[in-house]
Short mmCIF file of all heavy atoms in Angstrom, two decimals:
data_model
loop_
_atom_site.label_atom_id
_atom_site.label_comp_id
_atom_site.label_asym_id
_atom_site.label_seq_id
_atom_site.Cartn_x
_atom_site.Cartn_y
_atom_site.Cartn_z
N LYS X 6 -1.96 24.78 5.39
CA LYS X 6 -0.97 24.70 6.53
C LYS X 6 -0.41 23.31 6.47
O LYS X 6 -1.06 22.33 5.99
CB LYS X 6 -1.67 24.89 7.81
CG LYS X 6 -2.37 26.29 8.00
CD LYS X 6 -1.32 27.31 8.49
CE LYS X 6 -2.00 28.63 8.75
NZ LYS X 6 -1.00 29.69 8.74
N THR X 7 0.78 23.15 7.10
CA THR X 7 1.33 21.77 7.22
C THR X 7 0.71 21.11 8.47
O THR X 7 -0.04 21.79 9.32
CB THR X 7 2.84 21.83 7.52
OG1 THR X 7 3.09 22.41 8.85
CG2 THR X 7 3.56 22.69 6.49
N ALA X 8 0.80 19.85 8.59
CA ALA X 8 0.14 19.12 9.76
C ALA X 8 0.78 19.62 11.05
O ALA X 8 0.09 19.78 12.02
CB ALA X 8 0.37 17.65 9.61
N ALA X 9 2.08 19.86 11.02
CA ALA X 9 2.81 20.32 12.21
C ALA X 9 2.20 21.67 12.68
O ALA X 9 2.02 21.93 13.88
CB ALA X 9 4.30 20.42 11.99
N VAL X 162 -4.01 14.13 -0.54
CA VAL X 162 -3.00 14.97 0.07
C VAL X 162 -2.52 16.05 -0.99
O VAL X 162 -2.36 17.19 -0.68
CB VAL X 162 -1.83 14.22 0.64
CG1 VAL X 162 -0.67 15.06 0.96
CG2 VAL X 162 -2.30 13.42 1.87
N PRO X 168 -4.13 17.02 5.01
CA PRO X 168 -2.76 17.24 5.20
C PRO X 168 -1.90 15.94 5.32
O PRO X 168 -0.68 15.94 5.04
CB PRO X 168 -2.63 18.10 6.48
CG PRO X 168 -3.84 17.73 7.26
CD PRO X 168 -4.96 17.34 6.19
N LEU X 169 -2.63 14.90 5.70
CA LEU X 169 -1.96 13.61 5.91
C LEU X 169 -2.89 12.50 5.51
O LEU X 169 -4.13 12.61 5.37
CB LEU X 169 -1.78 13.38 7.46
CG LEU X 169 -0.92 14.37 8.26
CD1 LEU X 169 -1.10 14.08 9.73
CD2 LEU X 169 0.56 14.29 7.85
N ILE X 188 4.40 14.33 -3.70
CA ILE X 188 4.35 14.43 -2.24
C ILE X 188 5.39 13.41 -1.67
O ILE X 188 6.06 12.78 -2.32
CB ILE X 188 2.96 14.25 -1.63
CG1 ILE X 188 2.44 12.76 -1.96
CG2 ILE X 188 2.01 15.22 -2.26
CD1 ILE X 188 1.13 12.44 -1.29
N VAL X 189 5.46 13.39 -0.32
CA VAL X 189 6.31 12.51 0.39
C VAL X 189 5.54 11.20 0.82
O VAL X 189 4.42 11.33 1.29
CB VAL X 189 6.92 13.16 1.72
CG1 VAL X 189 7.73 12.22 2.48
CG2 VAL X 189 7.59 14.46 1.33
N PHE X 216 1.64 9.22 4.22
CA PHE X 216 1.76 10.30 3.08
C PHE X 216 1.68 11.66 3.77
O PHE X 216 0.88 11.89 4.64
CB PHE X 216 0.64 10.18 2.18
CG PHE X 216 0.58 9.06 1.16
CD1 PHE X 216 -0.17 7.95 1.38
CD2 PHE X 216 1.39 9.06 0.03
CE1 PHE X 216 -0.23 6.88 0.46
CE2 PHE X 216 1.37 8.04 -0.89
CZ PHE X 216 0.56 6.89 -0.64
N ALA X 217 2.42 12.63 3.19
CA ALA X 217 2.33 14.06 3.69
C ALA X 217 2.89 14.89 2.62
O ALA X 217 3.51 14.34 1.63
CB ALA X 217 3.12 14.25 4.96
N ARG X 218 2.70 16.28 2.79
CA ARG X 218 3.32 17.14 1.70
C ARG X 218 4.67 17.54 2.10
O ARG X 218 5.31 18.24 1.26
CB ARG X 218 2.37 18.43 1.54
CG ARG X 218 1.09 18.03 0.78
CD ARG X 218 0.26 19.25 0.39
NE ARG X 218 -0.20 19.92 1.55
CZ ARG X 218 -1.42 19.80 2.13
NH1 ARG X 218 -2.27 18.99 1.54
NH2 ARG X 218 -1.71 20.50 3.22
N ASN X 219 5.16 17.17 3.32
CA ASN X 219 6.57 17.47 3.60
C ASN X 219 7.10 16.36 4.50
O ASN X 219 6.33 15.57 5.12
CB ASN X 219 6.75 18.86 4.22
CG ASN X 219 6.03 18.95 5.57
OD1 ASN X 219 6.59 18.54 6.58
ND2 ASN X 219 4.80 19.44 5.61
N VAL X 220 8.48 16.36 4.65
CA VAL X 220 9.13 15.24 5.28
C VAL X 220 8.80 15.19 6.80
O VAL X 220 8.61 14.17 7.38
CB VAL X 220 10.66 15.39 5.03
CG1 VAL X 220 11.39 14.38 5.89
CG2 VAL X 220 10.95 15.17 3.54
N LEU X 221 8.79 16.41 7.42
CA LEU X 221 8.52 16.41 8.86
C LEU X 221 7.07 15.90 9.21
O LEU X 221 6.93 15.17 10.16
CB LEU X 221 8.66 17.88 9.45
CG LEU X 221 8.35 18.03 10.91
CD1 LEU X 221 9.27 17.22 11.82
CD2 LEU X 221 8.45 19.51 11.32
N ASP X 222 6.08 16.38 8.41
CA ASP X 222 4.73 15.84 8.65
C ASP X 222 4.62 14.28 8.56
O ASP X 222 4.02 13.64 9.32
CB ASP X 222 3.76 16.40 7.66
CG ASP X 222 3.41 17.90 7.99
OD1 ASP X 222 3.91 18.41 9.03
OD2 ASP X 222 2.63 18.50 7.30
N ALA X 223 5.43 13.79 7.57
CA ALA X 223 5.42 12.31 7.43
C ALA X 223 6.04 11.63 8.56
O ALA X 223 5.50 10.59 9.03
CB ALA X 223 6.16 11.94 6.12
N ALA X 224 7.07 12.25 9.11
CA ALA X 224 7.77 11.71 10.32
C ALA X 224 6.80 11.71 11.48
O ALA X 224 6.82 10.77 12.29
CB ALA X 224 9.02 12.46 10.61
N TYR X 471 14.56 9.82 6.45
CA TYR X 471 14.08 11.10 6.88
C TYR X 471 15.18 12.18 6.82
O TYR X 471 15.01 13.32 6.42
CB TYR X 471 13.38 11.06 8.20
CG TYR X 471 12.02 10.42 8.13
CD1 TYR X 471 11.85 9.08 8.40
CD2 TYR X 471 10.92 11.17 7.76
CE1 TYR X 471 10.61 8.47 8.30
CE2 TYR X 471 9.66 10.59 7.61
CZ TYR X 471 9.50 9.26 7.90
OH TYR X 471 8.21 8.63 7.74
N GLU X 478 14.79 18.08 0.53
CA GLU X 478 13.61 18.96 0.60
C GLU X 478 14.10 20.47 0.83
O GLU X 478 13.73 21.38 0.16
CB GLU X 478 12.70 18.52 1.66
CG GLU X 478 11.45 19.37 1.83
CD GLU X 478 10.56 18.83 3.00
OE1 GLU X 478 10.94 18.96 4.14
OE2 GLU X 478 9.58 18.14 2.63
N GLU X 482 13.85 23.28 -1.97
CA GLU X 482 12.87 24.38 -1.68
C GLU X 482 13.56 25.70 -1.67
O GLU X 482 13.01 26.70 -2.07
CB GLU X 482 12.16 24.08 -0.38
CG GLU X 482 11.10 22.94 -0.55
CD GLU X 482 10.15 22.80 0.60
OE1 GLU X 482 10.27 23.65 1.52
OE2 GLU X 482 9.36 21.87 0.55
#
Side-chain angles (χ1 to χ4, degrees):
Chain X
K6 301 276 184 200
T7 68
V162 168
L169 300 170
I188 63 173
V189 177
F216 285 103
R218 286 188 296 265
N219 66 80
V220 173
L221 177 60
D222 284 358
Y471 284 95
E478 179 181 75
E482 288 190 1

